[in-house]
Amino acid sequence: LAVRRFGELEMRVVDAPHPYNLTFLHESLPSHGATPYIIHSHTIELVYVTKGKMIGRIDGRKMDLCEGDYLFIPSGVEHRFETAGSSVEAISIFSPPMDFDKPDARIIFK
């Protein structure tokens, strides 16, 4: 699977069954890593943590997430993820599917 990077976040597209209008990504973030704050203009995202721990900053709220936790992020909601002493792996599901040539994520500079 081809690796894509968004800052320190490493992403691999996971092949999904064709009838579904979704994109599945296997994502990993190293220890002491972080993503920038972003907003998806029309894509919703579901994040399921498969390994490790991270902090989600969602619409101004801090959420501690660990293996087995999931998080739903509606479109238009500012979010960011960061790790402390351990790395994290997660599966993110996007609907509608991501178009890597025309990303709908906008970086928010703080």
Side-chain angles (χ1 to χ4, degrees):
L1 299 172
V3 175
R4 297 178 182 270
R5 295 194 183 275
F6 184 65
E8 296 177 292
L9 182 68
E10 189 174 278
M11 305 175 290
R12 290 180 175 83
V13 175
V14 177
D15 289 332
H18 293 286
Y20 301 105
N21 198 24
L22 306 168
T23 296
F24 290 78
L25 293 181
H26 176 261
E27 299 175 311
S28 59
L29 192 61
S31 63
H32 304 288
T35 65
Y37 281 96
I38 64 168
I39 293 177
H40 298 285
S41 58
H42 60 275
T43 303
I44 62 168
E45 180 177 1
L46 177 71
V47 180
Y48 177 76
V49 181
T50 60
K51 182 179 177 184
K53 298 182 205 177
M54 67 179 170
I55 296 168
R57 299 199 182 270
I58 315 301
D59 206 18
R61 294 177 299 178
K62 178 184 172 188
M63 304 176 89
D64 293 318
L65 302 164
C66 62
E67 185 175 324
D69 289 343
Y70 67 92
L71 179 64
F72 176 77
I73 306 168
S75 60
V77 173
E78 180 181 286
H79 58 286
R80 164 194 177 141
F81 299 101
E82 51 195 66
T83 59
S86 67
S87 61
V88 69
E89 292 185 26
I91 298 293
S92 287
I93 303 167
F94 297 86
S95 179
M98 295 180 76
D99 181 345
F100 290 102
D101 294 326
K102 297 178 191 172
D104 94 322
R106 182 179 49 139
I107 296 174
I108 307 299
F109 296 98
K110 293 194 171 221

